[in-house]
Amino acid sequence: NKTFILVILLSESYGHCYEMWLGSKGLSLSPFHIRWQTSLFNRLFSRCARINPHALYLWFTSGLVFGLVSMCGSVVLLIRTLQQTVHQMTSDHPQGANQQTLQVVVPGINLPVSQLAYFFSALLVSGVIHELGHAVAAIREQVRVNGFGVFVFVVYPGAFVDLFTTHLNLISPAQQLRIFCAGVWHNFVLCVAALCFLFLLPVFLFPVYYTGAGALVTEVVQGSPADGPRGLSIGDMVTGLEDCDVRTVEDWNSCLTIHTHTPQTGYCVPTHTLQPSWAHGRVYRRLDTSIECCSNNSLTDLCFSYTKLQEKEYACLPARKMLSGSRVCRSNADCLTHTHLDTDPDTHSPSVCVTPSLENQTRLIRLTHPPNTQMLFVGYPPHLQYAVSLTNFAPRFGFLNLDLPVVMETFCKYVVSLSGALAVVNSVPCFALDGQWMLSALLEATLVTVVTDRQHRELIGFFLLLGGSALLAANVALGLWMVTAR
């Protein structure tokens, strides 16, 4: 028993020493939460706060105006987002789920695991810039900064500044607003800066990367429709999808959308190459009422339909051989001005417009990626978007990394998205967010002559915060349900 008591006492002693050691390093550990705080950056904050006082006054006053506008705008945006979410939940045919300005992000569900590094690093940068704004604004308004820190809650990183509350309560509401609005203001500025950098990225990389020649393949998913000996390879430059020119990734996406929502393209082929469908097996109708006229085990032949003497005929043709060099068409009239050379160069054969007989939503698409032969894709066009990764940037020199522009571009997009989201969410008049203190200071500055009783002003603020918190909670809860229910 004495030994057991001694072990407990030693454990408590070591535990107390361990806590003291963590405290001396600025570390704090609790379930699902790691926090580190330091005063090492206080001198840096002080230097920043002394740079051109008049310019900083205008800077943070602009932030005050932006913060108040964004507080109202964030409420309107949350109401609109909630309406869209409810409409999607109650609609039989929900559309535009990915077009919402604000979306709940759940790693591994609507955020690919491969993008987690971008997500967390952009979130950390956005949080640090946010808190930097608070710290510099506080020192400029003669409020002491106790320290700056970073934390990880579950898996989400963040940052914070510890301000001296007594100093904060002694300054005017307008000064408080400059401090409280500085965070969302700096997030907005970071968002705009990242957007400008993203827009000017082709100019910055022009000496080593060029754009406008096509969409460069940077990754091909193994086993996907784009994989294989006659598929796409890393480093290929895609320049066209059928008759749709591809100069950028945006063109690629646009062309795929066009082919998804328009009828299957036809091709001009010589009439003498058409063989009767019965030569390759029995013609039968699929479940979706489309016609199949080739053998089920054929990997090279495809069933085509064409019009002959006002009647629809079918022919099983070797797809790659027939479509090589063929012009696209919609009817036989498009092929009248086009002829194919026969085996005898002195003879010409009339052409007819043949259309692949495929299942609904399935398309046959020729991808041009010189100097290789055209790739033939048969399937649902959007699947190509998931099968390959593309970039607008092609290296001028062979030793350059293909992924460098992609990394820069993707990181900037995440900074734009997350920094903008932090600016919006933190502006909401909600408990524990910047919006709570922004609203409190605003009410003190505007209602002090109208509502003289401080408790009444606090009561008004409480109900406004309650409404804002409920609005944000409803958006998060329904957003999570929408994401996880799919």
Side-chain angles (χ1 to χ4, degrees):
N1 290 336
K2 291 182 179 180
T3 304
F4 180 69
I5 293 173
L6 181 60
V7 169
I8 293 178
L9 291 175
L10 287 174
S11 299
E12 291 180 352
S13 176
Y14 281 121
H16 181 66
C17 293
Y18 178 65
E19 290 179 358
M20 290 182 62
W21 180 83
L22 287 177
S24 66
K25 301 298 182 181
L27 288 169
S28 173
L29 299 178
S30 58
F32 309 110
H33 187 265
I34 302 174
R35 168 175 163 156
W36 175 70
Q37 181 175 338
T38 181
S39 59
L40 293 175
F41 300 100
N42 287 6
R43 185 172 297 178
L44 174 63
F45 299 149
S46 299
R47 289 179 181 176
C48 293
R50 289 195 298 267
I51 300 174
N52 200 330
H54 180 68
L56 284 179
Y57 171 79
L58 295 177
W59 176 260
F60 288 113
T61 300
S62 301
L64 184 154
V65 175
F66 172 80
L68 297 181
V69 172
S70 64
M71 184 165 59
C72 300
S74 63
V75 173
V76 174
L77 183 59
L78 284 181
I79 293 175
R80 180 177 176 82
T81 304
L82 187 61
Q83 289 174 339
Q84 291 176 343
T85 305
V86 172
H87 175 71
Q88 291 167 16
M89 293 173 61
T90 56
S91 175
D92 295 332
H93 305 285
Q95 295 180 351
N98 295 324
Q99 298 176 357
Q100 289 185 342
T101 306
L102 291 177
Q103 292 185 16
V104 176
V105 176
V106 181
I109 297 181
N110 61 347
L111 176 67
V113 176
S114 60
Q115 303 284 300
L116 289 180
Y118 294 111
F119 177 81
F120 289 129
S121 57
L123 185 62
L124 182 60
V125 169
S126 301
V128 169
I129 296 299
H130 179 100
E131 299 303 332
L132 175 65
H134 285 312
V136 175
I139 293 176
R140 192 201 162 276
E141 300 296 343
Q142 308 303 316
V143 174
R144 190 177 77 193
V145 175
N146 294 328
F148 166 84
V150 294
F151 66 87
V152 176
F153 179 70
V154 187
V155 294
Y156 294 95
F160 66 92
V161 288
D162 182 16
L163 303 180
F164 192 53
T165 309
T166 303
H167 289 177
L168 196 60
N169 293 331
L170 291 176
I171 60 178
S172 67
Q175 291 176 297
Q176 291 177 356
L177 277 173
R178 290 193 190 94
I179 298 173
F180 297 145
C181 295
V184 297
W185 169 240
H186 277 70
N187 276 137
F188 171 74
V189 172
L190 177 62
C191 177
V192 173
L195 198 60
C196 292
F197 183 83
L198 191 62
F199 180 76
L200 295 174
L201 191 58
V203 178
F204 296 145
L205 296 180
F206 180 77
V208 287
Y209 292 89
Y210 64 93
T211 59
L216 186 71
V217 178
T218 59
E219 183 182 4
V220 180
V221 177
Q222 286 188 345
S224 68
D227 191 23
R230 294 189 175 181
L232 296 175
S233 302
I234 295 176
D236 285 353
M237 183 74 76
V238 179
T239 59
L241 296 176
E242 293 297 354
D243 57 343
C244 186
D245 290 334
V246 174
R247 293 288 175 263
T248 62
V249 177
E250 292 72 23
D251 291 342
W252 161 271
N253 294 327
S254 176
C255 291
L256 284 178
T257 301
I258 291 173
H259 284 289
T260 302
H261 297 97
T262 56
Q264 171 66 54
T265 303
Y267 306 92
C268 295
V269 301
T271 53
H272 76 275
T273 60
L274 301 178
Q275 299 181 12
S277 58
W278 51 263
H280 292 267
R282 182 174 60 88
V283 175
Y284 65 91
R285 193 178 297 274
R286 302 188 186 98
L287 293 177
D288 64 343
T289 72
S290 61
I291 298 296
E292 176 59 82
C293 60
C294 292
S295 174
N296 287 335
N297 57 6
S298 175
L299 298 177
T300 59
D301 296 344
L302 202 63
C303 184
F304 289 84
S305 65
Y306 61 97
T307 303
K308 181 179 180 181
L309 300 177
Q310 305 300 322
E311 292 187 4
K312 204 164 194 178
E313 301 284 346
Y314 295 90
C316 186
L317 305 173
R320 182 170 293 278
K321 180 180 178 181
M322 287 295 100
L323 301 186
S324 178
S326 299
R327 193 175 64 175
V328 296
C329 59
R330 294 295 178 185
S331 65
N332 288 338
D334 296 333
C335 301
L336 292 178
T337 58
H338 182 65
T339 58
H340 274 263
L341 291 177
D342 203 346
T343 55
D344 184 357
D346 296 326
T347 63
H348 291 78
S349 173
S351 298
V352 64
C353 187
V354 299
T355 305
S357 179
L358 301 170
E359 296 176 291
N360 290 338
Q361 296 186 332
T362 302
R363 299 288 186 271
L364 169 62
I365 303 175
R366 295 180 300 185
L367 279 78
T368 305
H369 55 120
N372 304 300
T373 57
Q374 288 182 324
M375 168 189 156
L376 298 185
F377 168 79
V378 179
Y380 185 45
H383 289 171
L384 271 176
Q385 291 178 310
Y386 303 102
V388 295
S389 298
L390 303 165
T391 179
N392 293 325
F393 298 90
R396 296 183 183 273
F397 310 101
F399 62 87
L400 292 173
N401 194 321
L402 297 180
D403 294 327
L404 178 60
V406 177
V407 171
M408 298 173 68
E409 195 174 25
T410 306
F411 179 72
C412 284
K413 289 180 179 179
Y414 271 97
V415 169
V416 170
S417 177
L418 293 175
S419 190
L422 283 178
V424 172
V425 173
N426 270 290
S427 299
V428 178
C430 172
F431 293 108
L433 296 179
D434 288 347
Q436 174 183 357
W437 314 113
M438 290 161 59
L439 178 65
S440 177
L442 178 63
L443 294 180
E444 287 297 319
T446 56
L447 296 184
V448 66
T449 57
V450 180
V451 182
T452 56
D453 192 340
R454 184 181 181 86
Q455 290 186 344
H456 289 171
R457 293 197 299 272
E458 291 178 350
L459 189 62
I460 293 173
F462 173 78
F463 283 111
L464 290 175
L465 288 173
L466 196 62
S469 302
L471 181 62
L472 182 60
N475 272 275
V476 172
L478 293 183
L480 279 173
W481 186 87
M482 287 289 291
V483 169
T484 57
R486 290 176 190 173

